[in-house]
Amino acid sequence: MANPLDDPTVDPFEIAKQAAEIIATKSGVAKHDIALTLGSGWAKAADLIGETVASIPADEIPGFRKSQVVGHVSTIRSIALPNGKYALVLGARTHFYEGHGVRPVVHGVRTAAATGAEMMILTNGAGGIKTSWAPGTPVLISDHINNTAASPIEGANFVDLTDLYSKRLRDIARTVDSSLDEGVYMQFRGPHYETPAEVQMAKAVGAHLVGMSTALEAIAARASGLEVLGLSLSTNLAAGISATPLSHTEVLAAGKEAEPRISALLAEIIAKL
Ligand code: 8IG
């Protein structure tokens, strides 16, 4: 099926509205409250937060693409939380490095907003720059540096990004685990990992985490009025910070190893929202 977002004349917010209508119809849930994008290492959280009411293949919803990455699932789930609220789990992240432009990257966030969500939880696997973060350490994102040279915002729409990553939500997360550290996330385009020199550049400009997602999504979330919580799983020390080269297989394995622990953490955080 052709993706409507590939047509540059189409209004992406109109596609997001259509996607939200399909989700409401297929799930029977008229309004979702919280949306989550679960990146590498975080997927199990979906099974822990509540009762799944619907699991919809992403390709049945306008604007979504099948995931191209091994180990990433492509379903959109509607989950009833114990507190009576509904969560929308977006299991179909499109990465900027896939080369389809920025619209598909932020379509999930815009769809979440159109389903009525007020909060967006963005999670990812990332490379850590702080040597104190052993592989498998979860980190709250306090701010980001968008190093993609792209923006999801179209037109002269000057969105304020002060406090993009909600202090209120970070404080709630720390009531669950007071040892949670926080750091600045720098999004690179990828899909190659950084050179050691690029990691040193990231460190010099104030980044603590390097990854290939989240910043563009967070910007779109703020533009849609969503409150943002960002969480990284530092699965590996960034290139050159550790002596050993990076392997995608090892990075995935570290995510899998940490998954039960950090998914439980995220579920506990969501129970407090
Ligand atoms: I998981 O070291 C994971 N994702 N850019 N660099 C970048 N993305 C990542 C890394 C990393 N680890």
Side-chain angles (χ1 to χ4, degrees), residues 52-91:
T52 297
V53 272
S55 193
I56 311 165
D59 57 357
E60 292 178 14
I61 307 174
F64 285 89
R65 295 180 177 275
K66 284 210 163 110
S67 173
Q68 295 179 357
V69 182
V70 181
H72 288 221
V73 279
S74 293
T75 53
I76 310 277
R77 280 164 75 168
S78 176
I79 299 178
L81 304 178
N83 62 9
K85 293 186 180 182
Y86 285 92
L88 185 73
V89 176
L90 301 161

Side-chain angles (χ1 to χ4, degrees), residues 106 109 113 120 122 164 216-228:
V106 299
V109 167
M120 185 77 227
L122 297 168
L164 174 53
L216 295 171
E217 295 156 48
I219 295 167
R222 163 53 59 95
S224 291
L226 295 160
E227 191 177 15
V228 177

Side-chain angles (χ1 to χ4, degrees), residues 14-223:
E14 185 53 41
I15 308 301
K17 196 167 144 258
Q18 288 172 15
E21 279 163 11
I22 302 252
I23 290 168
T25 306
K26 288 191 187 259
S27 66
V29 177
K31 178 192 184 289
H32 287 83
D33 305 286
I34 301 174
L36 300 91
T37 297
L38 299 177
S40 330
W42 298 93
K44 286 267 183 305
D47 299 325
L48 303 175
I49 59 178
E51 287 295 318
T52 297
V53 272
S55 193
I56 311 165
D59 57 357
E60 292 178 14
I61 307 174
F64 285 89
R65 295 180 177 275
K66 284 210 163 110
S67 173
Q68 295 179 357
V69 182
V70 181
H72 288 221
V73 279
S74 293
T75 53
I76 310 277
R77 280 164 75 168
S78 176
I79 299 178
L81 304 178
N83 62 9
K85 293 186 180 182
Y86 285 92
L88 185 73
V89 176
L90 301 161
R93 179 177 257 151
T94 297
H95 289 87
F96 190 51
Y97 59 68
E98 289 171 49
H100 304 294
V102 94
R103 285 178 167 192
V105 172
V106 299
H107 182 59
V109 167
R110 288 178 176 156
T111 298
T115 67
E118 286 114 20
M119 263 180 255
M120 185 77 227
I121 302 178
L122 297 168
T123 67
N124 60 55
I129 294 179
K130 273 200 190 179
T131 50
S132 58
W133 293 338
T137 303
V139 181
L140 291 166
I141 300 175
S142 58
D143 202 347
H144 80 220
I145 298 168
N146 172 11
N147 189 41
T148 65
S151 171
I153 312 299
E154 299 176 27
N157 180 6
F158 305 101
V159 180
D160 174 52
L161 301 179
T162 314
D163 300 325
L164 174 53
Y165 296 87
S166 167
K167 169 88 165 52
R168 185 183 84 84
L169 296 180
R170 276 183 280 147
D171 286 344
I172 291 173
R174 274 187 292 254
T175 66
V176 173
D177 180 353
S178 61
S179 76
L180 267 176
D181 206 352
E182 61 179 37
V184 173
Y185 178 93
M186 189 160 181
Q187 180 175 358
F188 284 79
R189 182 190 181 281
H192 51 276
Y193 293 119
E194 296 71 33
T195 63
E198 287 165 344
V199 171
Q200 287 306 312
M201 174 194 76
K203 184 179 178 181
V205 297
H208 308 104
L209 296 153
V210 288
M212 305 176 193
S213 67
T214 304
L216 295 171
E217 295 156 48
I219 295 167
R222 163 53 59 95

